[in-house]
Amino acid sequence: MSYYQNTGVSNRKQQQYGGTYGQQGAYGGANSRAHQGAAFYNSPSVASAPAPTAAPTTWQPTPAPHSGNQINLGGTTNTDSGSSMSSMNAAPNSGGGGAQPGPTVQQSQQPEQPQLWNPANINSMMKNDMVMNMAYDGGKAFLANGAAKMIPGLELLMVTLRYYFAVDNSYVLHKMQRVLFPFLKKDWKRLEAEGHGNVKYALPRFDENAPDLYIPFMSLVTYVLLCALLFGSRGQFTPEALPEITTRCFVTQILEVLAIRLGHYVMQVPCSLLDMFCFTGYKYMGLCVNMLVGLFFGYWPYYGTMTWTASATAFFMLRTMTNNVPRITATNGPKREVMVMVFAASQALTMWWLSQTKLLSE
């Protein structure tokens, strides 16, 4: 076949399929570009290059100004005082592989609730004078209007006992020296004071000759504990030992005060029962000294120390009652000097009676 014949056949085929190629022309450009892109990425040079990666996006939510604990669950922030939900919408990465900004978080802020009670503020409250004065005034008002009105005589008792516990460290030290070494003291007269209501004399912290109940009470407790220690060291301690010793001391002192009150009655002179409990309670200090010596050194040193403490307590009582019993007494009653000597001797006698020497080692 000649060249022109072949050319004619080819032209007729092109005319026959020309419409088909024309319809596909619209898609030709897209398909060609797609094939070119695929061929480009499938080439060995491009396939071996590392693919670009987007930078990691970090997100740190800002805590809410309230005091609740926060729990982060994905894009939701929950608190104990309120909840706020925020959706995390990230924009898709473009073909260049650049990192997009992190998600935006919107939190609803609630006002902080005021704290009605904080135990950490107790120390600062105790240092505030105004707060302490308010507490003192409130307790005083409650005592005056509440319990004091329900119990007859309680208010008067509290006001009276307040005087006998108005002591300080200086008074306690000087009072102990006066009781244990009364022979070295010269001044035994009590100081008078004005402006204390019904109290005629100065408070104990201003006058070491004034009676108090603090030293007798603490001495009694100490003496009972030392006796219990003595029983325990000898293996004979029982729970009944503490109330037995305490009851014996109380009963002995009450009988002694009643006897002194009877002596004042026959002399027809005034007498304060609380003052008598103070003066007769100082002997427990000497009993404590005796017991300490007996625990460490035994039987005979105990009695040697007791001779000193009993003499000192008796002399202290003698000088104290001499300055407290009025000089003018009943003419038909016992003599003042004799009664004062009896009051002093009773201290040495009761100290011997209350001694616990049966368990001391010789």
Side-chain angles (χ1 to χ4, degrees), residues 3-16:
Y3 171 76
Y4 294 101
Q5 292 178 351
N6 292 335
T7 303
V9 174
S10 297
N11 291 335
R12 284 193 300 270
K13 289 182 178 182
Q14 290 178 0
Q15 292 177 359
Q16 180 180 358

Side-chain angles (χ1 to χ4, degrees), residues 151 196 236 283:
I151 304 177
H196 291 83
Q236 298 185 13
K283 62 176 170 286

Side-chain angles (χ1 to χ4, degrees), residues 38 148 245 289:
I245 299 172
V289 176

Side-chain angles (χ1 to χ4, degrees), residues 186-243:
K186 301 297 182 181
D187 185 17
W188 294 87
K189 186 178 180 180
R190 295 179 61 180
L191 297 178
E192 296 183 1
E194 301 293 339
H196 291 83
N198 296 329
V199 179
K200 183 180 179 182
Y201 299 100
L203 295 175
R205 64 171 175 263
F206 301 119
D207 181 17
E208 62 182 58
N209 290 321
D212 72 284
L213 287 173
Y214 174 79
I215 295 178
F217 177 75
M218 297 304 296
S219 300
L220 173 61
V221 174
T222 305
Y223 177 66
V224 173
L225 295 178
L226 288 175
C227 293
L229 180 61
L230 174 63
F231 292 163
S233 62
R234 301 299 184 267
Q236 298 185 13
F237 176 78
T238 58
E240 293 79 10
L242 296 179

Side-chain angles (χ1 to χ4, degrees), residues 36 70-71 82 84 86 101-102 120 133-134 142 187 201-202 204 208 226 266 284 290 301 354 360:
Q36 292 175 2
Q70 296 184 356
I71 304 175
S84 59
S86 303
N133 292 334
M134 292 176 59
F142 173 77
D187 185 17
Y201 299 100
E208 62 182 58
L226 288 175
V266 296
Y284 296 119
N290 300 341
L354 295 175
L360 292 177

Side-chain angles (χ1 to χ4, degrees), residues 319-341:
R319 297 302 302 269
T320 301
M321 297 304 295
T322 301
N323 288 271
N324 284 274
V325 176
R327 295 184 180 275
I328 301 176
T329 60
T331 56
N332 56 351
K335 292 184 178 182
R336 173 178 177 271
E337 293 76 10
V338 175
M339 295 303 298
V340 170
M341 292 293 293

Side-chain angles (χ1 to χ4, degrees), residues 236-311:
Q236 298 185 13
F237 176 78
T238 58
E240 293 79 10
L242 296 179
E244 180 181 354
I245 299 172
T246 305
T247 304
R248 186 175 183 179
C249 293
F250 271 125
V251 172
T252 302
Q253 187 174 2
I254 291 174
L255 294 177
E256 185 180 9
V257 170
L258 292 178
I260 295 175
R261 181 64 183 89
L262 180 61
H264 283 75
Y265 175 76
V266 296
M267 289 188 299
Q268 297 182 5
V269 293
C271 175
S272 174
L273 290 179
L274 289 177
D275 289 352
M276 294 303 105
F277 274 104
C278 296
F279 295 142
T280 57
Y282 290 121
K283 62 176 170 286
Y284 296 119
M285 189 187 308
L287 290 173
C288 292
V289 176
N290 300 341
M291 187 57 64
L292 284 174
V293 174
L295 284 171
F296 288 99
F297 302 103
Y299 183 85
W300 294 109
Y302 175 90
Y303 274 99
T305 307
M306 182 179 176
T307 303
W308 172 266
T309 56
S311 302

